[in-house]
């Protein structure tokens, strides 16, 4: 019979424990998981990149609903446990209860709030979980003022994130230099200088006296009477183990819940692990020892012998562009010697602390490539006597190796730790490679290396490269172009997260390497800004390809083609007459019927464009956007009006769709079709969006293609009414506008995000669908204008003509 | 025969060309593209890409280069030389800005490149 396991707290430590337990004993337990937060396990270390906008929430979820469901874990999230009844072996939450055979307490830690007046004012937050992070993101208006109390690891990550979101940030730190637990004063100074260069003000030796404000926070007053204005105050002064449940249950609690080497508390049926525990007088805040505890706790539950032995840990700061490493003990004491290396111009500082020919501490700033090698020397207490002269230059200088960038990694012994979070050493990774792993993803899957905070990703790739040689291809996170190292996806996210609303803002804030971009990035940026900030960003014609700038398609001889819109492929004798007249008047060399059911006038000279547009406009014809990354055509068959097989009014629906969708720009062109019956004469099943009418309604397919790739649409939804079909198509197009990479057709985008996700947003979640439609309509209120009419006016015509004509001068 | 060494002709206002854009000047020897960079420098080049004759004036201007709209060859505005792995060149013509007006050395344009 299965035993009942109750876990309180769905954090990183208990999540890892469950993984170990389920891997070894998948059917042994009925598991119930309580969490006070209304969500499951996520990578808490990565909240800082979420705060700064460099990562999204989805990217840091470690266990999603599917995982919990697959492992049959009863999740009771958003349900804090209020009492443990050890006699009855039952835990009680605010809503119910659960009996246990074994109980694991993993309640983590709570942020420490300094007891000063004003600490309860709205606008004062701590920095611990997703809700805190979201509260800060919500408050982070560019130009608003933030004060971060606490210049430790967490406080500085918060400060950097808020600064990246455009806030004016001041850090108040009680001690004489930043991160005094991890850094010596010299490295602390370099860190402070770097942060100040980024516009973060640092006030060391500052003791908070009060938080000021009437209805919400307005400022912070220090004991030395300095005052700082603040719209947001983030307290990041430290954490304390969350032990209240254990205290109430009369378990042995010192600073944390006391556990033995097997992670068992003073009650043999209750285990504890994570930041809430105290082991051998020590508390734990970094993730590496917590993962060790998780392994031990899982073993103990399975009745195996295991003992937790805390190991040394190294620290890195996750602030993009700040390179910092510290490990071991670096306090000045008698009998200790230093080796120091400084390169002020590069902002590099390295200090090694040596005691009795053993390395016991290392602090590095600006260049931390050798960090894990030094950390290995500290952990293994290697004698450094034979290499003392060149020790500070790192492993490449030992034994006269060349300065190949891979040599440092190749020189590491198998025991060298690569991934600090998961305690993965080089040998483990090499074993995985011998077992057939050839990519970063496979190494992550088999060893967990680089799967937590991710700072060792480069190292893991170097191990792969040194082991596999040319057989290793670095996964291509393709940058947009040579002007930036960021991918399209990165840039889209950062534009939104950091409120970047102009091209210079994007290039400045995201560190473009060129003065004004290139022909690859500028059109993409112009699209992203237009799509994300309708009404605020003004289109930049100089960042558009020629066709979109001139609203006509350039031909190989420099002339253009003109295609008026024919709604749903339906036209009239009057329209045809106007087209024929225009073709003759401007001596159009070729008139051709297109595949999208309209007429193309090919070979029009640029200077004639405004005039031919004016003539066509006069007959009621408008631009067909045959040149645009936007809606092209909606191809239709004649449907129930004329066809003896037609089931619905496919022509009418096509016209309604075209009138609804034309105008707004999209990442790439968008083509639709509506067929009136499954005979599919409009070829709807190879379009970006294709509707096939049936007796009972409308089958909406998406992601078709009939170009370089040929692909059949996949079913997005089936609906009963025309109105609902239109609503879903509009929502789909808007979702594509908001998320796709520039120049990805819908089928390519769908392959990346998955149809299920799209269906959830545009079909299943009614509120999301309505919001997408509303955002599309906002964009249409600005972009649904005939560009031909706007350019056929006299003021605009000049731009299409030559600036000057010197042919006559030549004749003189 | 004595040709004038230069003959600066006013072809229009600087503001007639958008920043990072171009306009065309018609000459007896074909069209000349007049470019204006982001920092208001002006360059004149034959409006024919050395690759397949594309109109460079319709390209995207970035830094001191233009990308041809037809197949993406990048041409330096100052020297007319193809950049990157491509080779080829277009003729350049002296151009300058004075008091907000654009001046081209029309003597050469009128009598042609051969002189």
């Amino acid at each position: 019979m299965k035993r009942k396991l109750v876990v309180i707290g769905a954090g990183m430590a208990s999540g890892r424990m469950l993984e170990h337990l389920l891997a070894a004993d998948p059917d042994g337990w009925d598991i119930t998981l309580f969490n006070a937060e209304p969500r499951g396990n996520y990578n808490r270390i990565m909240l800082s990149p979420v705060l700064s906008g460099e990562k999204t929430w989805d990217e840091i979820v470690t266990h999603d609903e599917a995982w919990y469901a697959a492992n049959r874990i009863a999740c009771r999230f958003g349900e804090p446990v209020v009492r443990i009844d050890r006699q009855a072996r039952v835990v009680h939450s605010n809503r119910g209860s659960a009996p246990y055979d074994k109980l694991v307490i993993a309640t983590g830690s709570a942020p420490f709030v300094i007891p000063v007046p004003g600490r309860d004012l709205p606008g004062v937050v701590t920095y611990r979980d997703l809700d805190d992070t979201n509260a800060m993101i919500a408050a982070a208006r560019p130009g608003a003022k933030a004060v971060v109390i606490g210049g430790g690891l967490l406080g500085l990550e918060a400060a950097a994130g808020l600064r990246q979101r455009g806030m004016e940030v001041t850090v108040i730190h009680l001690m004489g230099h930043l991160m005094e637990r991890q850094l010596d004063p010299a490295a602390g100074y370099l860190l402070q200088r770097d942060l100040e260069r980024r516009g973060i003000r640092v006030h060391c030796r500052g003791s908070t006296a009060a938080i000021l404000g009437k209805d919400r926070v307005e400022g912070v007053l220090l004991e030395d009477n300095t005052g700082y204005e603040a719209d947001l105050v983030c307290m990041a002064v430290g954490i304390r183990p969350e032990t209240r449940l254990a205290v109430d249950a009369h378990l042995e609690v010192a600073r944390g819940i006391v556990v033995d080497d097997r992670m068992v508390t003073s009650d043999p049926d209750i285990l504890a692990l994570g930041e809430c525990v105290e082991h051998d007088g020590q508390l734990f805040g970094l993730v590496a020892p917590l993962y060790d505890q998780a392994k031990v706790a899982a073993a103990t539950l399975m009745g195996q012998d295991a003992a937790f032995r805390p190991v040394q840990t190294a620290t890195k700061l996750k602030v993009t562009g700040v390179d910092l490493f510290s490990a071991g003990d670096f306090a000045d004491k008698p009998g200790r010697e230093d080796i120091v290396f400084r390169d002020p111009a590069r902002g590099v500082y390295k200090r090694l602390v040596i005691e009795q020919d053993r390395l016991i501490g290392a602090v590095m700033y600006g260049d931390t490539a050798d960090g894990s090698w030094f950390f290995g020397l500290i952990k293994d207490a290697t004698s450094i006597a034979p290499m003392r002269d060149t020790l500070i230059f790192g492993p490449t200088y030992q034994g006269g190796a060349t300065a190949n960038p891979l040599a440092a990694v190749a020189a590491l012994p198998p025991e060298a730790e690569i991934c600090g979070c998961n305690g993965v050493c080089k040998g483990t990774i090499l074993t995985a490679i011998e077992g057939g792993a050839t990519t970063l993803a496979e190494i992550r899957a088999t060893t967990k290396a680089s799967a937590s905070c991710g700072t060792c990703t480069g190292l893991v790739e170097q191990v792969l490269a040194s082991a596999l040689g040319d057989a290793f291809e670095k996964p291509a996170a393709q940058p947009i172009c040579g002007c930036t190292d960021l991918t399209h996806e990165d840039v889209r996210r950062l534009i939104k997260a950091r409120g970047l609303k102009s091209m210079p803002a994007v290039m400045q804030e995201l560190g473009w390497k060129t003065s004004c971009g290139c022909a690859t990035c500028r059109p993409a940026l112009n699209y992203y800004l237009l799509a994300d900030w309708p009404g605020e960003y003004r289109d930049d014609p100089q960042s558009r390809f020629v066709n979109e700038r001139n609203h006509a398609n350039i031909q190989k001889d420099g002339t253009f083609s003109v295609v008026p819109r024919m709604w749903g492929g339906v036209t009239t004798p009057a329209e045809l007459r106007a087209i024929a007249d225009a073709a003759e008047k401007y001596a159009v060399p070729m008139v051709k019927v297109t595949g999208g059911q309209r007429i193309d006038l090919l070979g029009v000279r640029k200077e004639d464009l405004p005039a031919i547009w004016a003539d066509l406009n006069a007959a009621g014809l408008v631009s067909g956007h045959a040149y645009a990354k936007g809606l092209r055509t909606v191809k239709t068959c004649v449907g129930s009006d004329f066809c003896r097989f037609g089931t619905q009014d496919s022509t009418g629906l096509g016209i309604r769709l075209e009138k609804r969708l034309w105008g707004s720009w999209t990442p790439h062109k968008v083509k639709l079709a509506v067929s009136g019956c499954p005979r599919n004469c409009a070829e709807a099943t190879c379009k970006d969006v294709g509707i096939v009418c049936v007796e009972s309604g409308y089958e909406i397919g998406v992601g078709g293609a009939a170009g370089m790739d040929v692909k059949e649409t996949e079913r997005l939804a089936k609906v009963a009414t025309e109105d609902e079909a239109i609503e879903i198509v509009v929502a789909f197009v808007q979702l594509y506008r908001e998320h796709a990479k520039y120049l990805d057709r819908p089928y390519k985008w769908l392959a990346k995000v998955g149809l299920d996700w799209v269906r959830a947003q545009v079909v299943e979640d009614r509120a999301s669908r309505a919001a997408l439609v509303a955002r599309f309509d906002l964009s249409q209120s600005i972009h649904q204008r005939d560009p031909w009419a706007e350019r056929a006016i006299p003021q605009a015509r000049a731009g299409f003509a030559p600036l000057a004509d010197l042919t006559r001068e030549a004749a003189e | 025969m004595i040709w004038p060494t230069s003959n600066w002709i006013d072809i229009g206002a600087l503001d007639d060309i958008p920043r990072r854009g171009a306009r065309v000047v018609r000459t007896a020897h074909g069209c000349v593209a007049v470019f204006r960079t982001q920092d208001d420098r002006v360059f004149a080049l034959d409006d024919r890409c050395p690759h397949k004759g594309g109109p460079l004036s319709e390209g995207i201007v970035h830094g001191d280069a233009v990308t041809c709209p037809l197949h993406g060859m990048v041409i330096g505005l100052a020297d007319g030389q193809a950049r990157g792995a491509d080779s080829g060149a277009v003729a350049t013509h002296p151009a300058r800005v004075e008091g907000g007006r654009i001046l081209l050395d029309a003597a050469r344009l009128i009598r042609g490149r051969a002189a």
Side-chain angles (χ1 to χ4, degrees), chain A residues 138-438:
Chain A
R141 294 182 315 282
K145 295 181 174 65
V147 170
V148 175
I149 303 176
L153 205 57
L154 215 50
L156 294 183
E157 292 187 359
L162 294 170
R163 178 67 194 145
Q164 268 187 281
R165 288 192 178 265
M167 295 191 88
E168 283 182 32
V169 180
T170 304
V171 174
I172 296 174
H173 190 51
L174 192 60
M175 308 305 286
H177 68 271
L178 296 172
M179 287 180 67
E180 78 286 346
R181 285 170 61 196
Q182 292 89 8
L183 296 183
D184 62 4
Y189 161 76
L190 284 173
L191 175 60
Q192 180 170 345
R193 201 184 61 175
D194 266 2
L195 294 175
E196 284 168 350
R197 276 199 197 131
R198 290 153 183 258
I200 297 172
R201 181 158 47 188
V202 178
H203 186 130
C204 286
R205 294 190 185 81
S207 175
T208 306
I211 296 173
L212 310 174
K214 222 164 139 196
D215 301 322
R216 57 170 290 119
V217 65
E218 289 166 28
V220 174
L221 181 69
L222 306 189
E223 305 241 300
D224 63 7
N225 276 333
T226 317
Y228 290 105
E229 284 178 50
D231 303 300
L232 173 74
V233 170
C234 174
M235 270 203 209
V237 290
I239 53 175
R240 52 172 179 73
E242 179 56 83
T243 59
R244 285 174 294 183
L245 279 176
V247 170
D248 291 350
H250 303 291
L251 293 171
E252 188 186 343
V253 174
R255 285 184 299 159
I257 304 168
V258 175
V259 293
D260 61 15
D261 286 355
R262 300 170 305 142
M263 308 311 296
V264 177
T265 66
S266 53
D267 179 330
D269 288 325
I270 302 181
L271 284 71
L273 80 165
E275 289 183 331
C276 61
V277 307
E278 179 173 333
H279 172 268
D280 204 10
Q282 200 183 342
L283 302 176
F284 303 89
L286 297 170
V287 75
L290 302 195
Y291 283 171
D292 289 342
Q293 291 178 359
K295 207 182 283 181
V296 172
T300 302
L301 284 173
M302 291 181 286
Q304 299 164 356
D305 273 340
F308 173 61
R309 293 271 172 267
V311 294
Q312 292 219 5
T313 48
T315 303
K316 282 181 177 177
L317 182 70
K318 281 178 304 303
V319 172
T320 305
V322 172
D323 218 1
L324 173 160
F325 177 91
S326 99
D329 183 354
F330 41 84
D332 285 315
K333 278 187 195 158
R336 291 182 174 180
E337 300 163 90
D338 280 353
I339 300 175
V340 175
F341 171 88
R342 284 179 202 268
D343 183 346
R346 284 198 301 139
V348 173
Y349 170 81
K350 301 182 189 183
R351 174 166 166 239
L352 304 177
V353 182
I354 292 163
E355 196 171 56
Q356 294 173 345
D357 282 340
R358 301 283 189 275
L359 188 63
I360 61 160
V363 183
M364 307 168 78
Y365 194 92
D367 173 7
T368 58
D370 297 332
S372 65
W373 185 70
F374 288 127
F375 187 45
L377 295 181
I378 294 172
K379 280 207 303 189
D380 303 341
T382 310
S383 168
I384 51 94
M387 53 184 170
R388 181 168 174 143
D389 289 352
T390 55
L391 183 66
I392 193 115
F393 300 114
T396 44
Y397 279 80
Q398 314 311 326
T402 52
N404 178 330
L406 285 180
V409 170
L412 290 175
E415 318 79 70
E417 184 174 86
I418 301 290
C419 172
C421 295
N422 292 297
V424 183
C425 61
K426 183 181 162 188
T428 310
I429 295 173
L430 291 175
T431 309
I433 293 170
E434 280 160 22
T438 58

Side-chain angles (χ1 to χ4, degrees), chain A residues 72-129:
Chain A
R72 296 187 300 281
I73 295 175
C75 297
R76 297 175 64 170
F77 297 157
E79 198 177 328
V81 169
V82 293
R83 190 162 64 86
I84 300 167
D85 183 342
R86 286 169 55 192
Q87 242 73 50
R89 297 212 285 193
V90 170
V91 299
H92 295 278
S93 76
N94 59 342
R95 264 183 265 154
S97 60
Y100 65 83
D101 296 314
K102 291 281 180 187
L103 174 66
V104 174
I105 303 176
T107 41
S109 60
F112 185 72
V113 176
I114 40 176
V116 291
R119 65 182 181 277
D120 297 326
L121 283 169
V124 179
V125 297
T126 54
Y127 187 21
R128 186 69 202 138
D129 59 23

